[in-house]
Amino acid sequence: MTGRLITAERIVGAAVSGDALRLDGGRVVAAGRADQLRGGSIEEKSYPGGFIVPGLRDAHFHPLGYAAAVTGLNLAGAVDLEEVLARTGQAGAALPPDRTLVGSRLDDNSLAERRLPDRSDLDRVAPDRPVLLYRVCGHVAVANTAALEAAGVAPDHPDPPGGTFDRDEDGRLTGILRETAVAVVAAVVGDRSGNLQPDQVLTALAGLPALGLTSLGAMVAVGPGLFCGVGHELELLLEVADHLPLKLAVLVIAERPEELEWAAGRLDRAGGRVRFLGMKDFADGSLGGWTAALRQPYRDASDRWGTVRLDPDRSGALARRSLELGGKVAIHAIGDRAAGLVLDLFERLRREGAEGADLRIEHASLLADADVDRLAGTGAFASIQPAFLASEEDWVPRRLGSDRLGQLYRFATMAAAGIPLAGGSDCPVEPPDPRLGMAAARAGVSPAEALTAEQALALFTAGAAAALGEPEPLAPGSAADFVVLDADPTAVSARRLTSIGIQATWIDGIESDLSIRPAPWGG
């Protein structure tokens, strides 16, 4: 598409001012005042009363996990174990007998019993097929006996590095899998789940432009990833690469540098709207699953300190290979102990010549004062998920204790320290709507940690774009990725922000079909 002028009431949240964009060949030629950009025979499209903002980006998104959540067994909103088991049994009855049943978004903190089901619970409703249910965080799952047996996990099976097979007081497997133990089962049963097909992935992603999303930082595993039980996530994504409705910059979850290099090559050859962004690794797990690695024990489980997954040698080798491939290094760290370990690695990489802009700490949920300073010193991005605040407020105080809440979700503190911030949802942990993330960032965990309206918008526009290796949004020569809203997102209340209407989403100068709505989001 060439020669278009897009006009609206005003441009918001970009390093340009005016009320119009001039496009040519899917790129922004200029931004400014319509009366100065008009000329020649270019076509003009106007959005009276609309506000042009840069395309909304989500820096941390699990596209296959999202697709699984909206097309498969989604356990969000279940009020007790009876409901979880009823939904599981009904879903299993609808599957062919040779298929694994995979479910997601199981949240024990929302159940009346405040516990996960165990394998004996699942065996009662699905005794004859493997079942794997993912906790909402993706770092914990529950398998029935058939799934454990299919994966060869016997009572004497050793725990893998960075993970555990939970056992009862008699040493029997409960079926609850934590961290790397999940992948041991998913690697086997995921290959025959049959629950996620290419057309389902495309159907799920097709609704995201209606939320104003133009780019995702996509977390995709070479093997089994989080949430969906697919045995080979990257292969499934590559099947749909030519038909994606928005851009995916892929952070590859790999075990070895050779896998990462292979994945980078496959993504570079795929073309379309998918590209290699770098590597993704894990230093720990989740607060909800008691696997986020802490420097002090959990307040509601004094024998638990979390799970350290970071192996400095292995992660360092992956990081160096990613940088050599022109990629970034993104490492998940929620607990304060995990954050310290990631910063040790980042500081080492910086001494070796890495650029701070090529480093990302994912989540950075719990940070001591000294680690805020260390993070600022590395120049690394903090990839944050503000929507966590609303979903955790009912239980995180008892998990951490009131004395540690001041170290939690330090958005304003990080911004003041000069740490570049990028916003994301970690979907399907949270809903995919970036308006929810912006509103939560403006509310903050406390007034002292709340971001301004301008900062919250930047999280999901310029900040996320920089973390995704994209040029400054709406700058001349950049991709014509923008959204037209029916109100100025920096001039309305945080509560009003969540209901701002999206009039149009443009990606590479092409207007998306917003009649394709996002899938209903339960929970």
Side-chain angles (χ1 to χ4, degrees):
M1 185 176 298
T2 62
R4 277 204 166 185
L5 185 69
I6 311 297
T7 62
E9 185 169 326
R10 189 158 59 86
I11 298 172
V12 179
V16 295
S17 61
D19 59 1
L21 299 173
R22 184 163 178 166
L23 314 181
D24 190 12
R27 298 276 168 185
V28 175
V29 175
R33 293 175 53 85
D35 56 4
Q36 296 173 342
L37 297 180
R38 287 189 179 98
S41 59
I42 64 172
E43 178 186 352
E44 183 171 332
K45 182 157 189 178
S46 182
Y47 295 94
F51 293 81
I52 296 172
V53 302
L56 302 179
R57 280 88 166 169
D58 188 315
H60 188 118
F61 197 105
H62 297 264
L64 301 180
Y66 170 66
V70 299
T71 63
L73 173 60
N74 185 337
L75 295 164
V79 299
D80 55 24
L81 286 172
E82 181 180 358
E83 183 176 354
V84 168
L85 297 176
R87 288 196 203 178
T88 301
Q90 291 167 3
L95 281 180
D98 61 339
R99 297 285 180 84
T100 295
L101 173 61
V102 177
S104 64
R105 303 197 71 227
L106 171 63
D107 188 1
D108 49 313
N109 283 313
S110 297
L111 301 180
E113 298 85 353
R114 290 197 180 276
R115 73 167 178 88
L116 293 169
D118 59 25
R119 69 178 174 122
S120 62
D121 294 322
L122 299 186
D123 289 347
R124 288 201 301 274
V125 296
D128 300 322
R129 75 170 74 246
V131 176
L132 186 63
L133 304 183
Y134 284 81
R135 191 183 181 279
V136 64
C137 63
H139 290 261
V140 179
V142 187
N144 69 347
T145 298
L148 293 174
E149 290 177 348
V153 178
D156 59 350
H157 198 290
D159 289 339
T164 56
F165 299 104
D166 279 13
R167 292 171 167 83
D168 63 20
E169 58 272 13
D170 296 319
R172 294 174 296 199
L173 294 167
T174 67
I176 296 174
L177 320 169
R178 300 185 191 275
E179 300 302 328
T180 56
V182 178
V184 172
V185 177
V188 176
V189 302
D191 282 339
R192 63 193 203 196
S193 69
N195 288 343
L196 192 57
Q197 300 299 318
D199 62 324
Q200 292 175 304
V201 176
L202 289 174
T203 298
L205 298 183
L208 296 181
L211 300 175
L213 287 166
T214 60
S215 298
L216 305 179
M219 312 293 152
V220 181
V222 171
L226 302 178
F227 309 111
C228 62
V230 172
H232 300 280
E233 282 196 328
L234 184 63
E235 294 287 356
L236 180 54
L237 178 64
L238 290 169
E239 284 190 57
V240 301
D242 289 339
H243 306 286
L244 291 169
L246 74 174
K247 299 175 181 179
L248 270 62
V250 178
L251 288 165
V252 176
I253 302 169
E255 288 299 314
R256 301 183 306 278
E258 297 79 11
E259 285 183 338
L260 182 67
E261 184 172 1
W262 172 84
R266 291 292 306 275
L267 288 164
D268 287 342
R269 293 191 297 273
R273 286 177 164 171
V274 65
R275 63 182 171 89
F276 173 69
L277 182 61
M279 60 84 79
K280 160 80 183 300
D281 203 8
F282 298 89
D284 66 346
S286 73
L287 290 170
W290 288 285
T291 56
L294 306 181
R295 290 184 171 124
Q296 299 296 325
Y298 283 89
R299 189 57 52 86
D300 61 350
S302 59
D303 59 333
R304 300 185 187 218
W305 297 63
T307 302
V308 172
R309 292 183 57 173
L310 187 75
D311 178 333
D313 292 335
R314 175 189 156 279
S315 296
L318 279 168
R320 293 180 185 93
R321 192 69 193 106
S322 183
L323 294 168
E324 291 167 358
L325 292 166
K328 298 185 183 297
V329 176
I331 304 182
H332 165 119
I334 284 184
D336 52 356
R337 183 181 178 195
L341 295 172
V342 172
L343 291 171
D344 289 344
L345 177 57
F346 283 3
E347 287 169 345
R348 188 157 59 249
L349 294 171
R350 291 286 277 135
R351 289 193 297 269
E352 294 171 4
E355 297 291 333
D358 289 332
L359 308 177
R360 296 175 35 160
I361 184 169
E362 304 300 309
H363 311 305
S365 299
L366 193 68
L367 287 178
D369 289 343
D371 288 332
V372 172
D373 294 339
R374 291 179 67 196
L375 180 55
T378 66
F381 279 88
S383 170
I384 61 174
Q385 292 68 45
F388 283 0
L389 274 64
S391 61
E392 294 179 359
E393 62 182 355
D394 290 340
W395 54 266
V396 82
R398 68 175 179 268
R399 190 133 303 173
L400 292 178
S402 58
D403 55 316
R404 281 186 285 198
L405 296 183
Q407 298 179 355
L408 193 65
Y409 301 122
R410 308 185 71 178
F411 302 157
T413 295
M414 287 192 285
I419 296 167
L421 303 179
S425 62
D426 201 10
C427 183
V429 176
E430 302 296 342
D433 193 336
R435 293 169 295 186
L436 298 174
M438 286 188 275
R442 289 173 58 177
V445 69
S446 68
E449 292 296 351
L451 296 182
T452 68
E454 291 77 10
Q455 288 173 321
L457 177 60
L459 273 184
F460 291 90
T461 54
L468 297 179
E470 296 180 352
E472 180 182 298
L474 304 188
S478 67
D481 299 340
F482 59 93
V483 179
V484 184
L485 305 178
D486 66 6
D488 179 349
T490 65
V492 300
S493 68
R495 180 171 298 187
R496 166 76 174 89
L497 183 63
T498 60
S499 59
I500 281 183
I502 295 167
Q503 296 185 17
T505 299
W506 290 69
I507 303 174
D508 290 325
I510 300 173
E511 190 170 8
S512 299
D513 181 1
L514 300 195
S515 69
I516 304 174
R517 305 303 300 169
W521 187 255

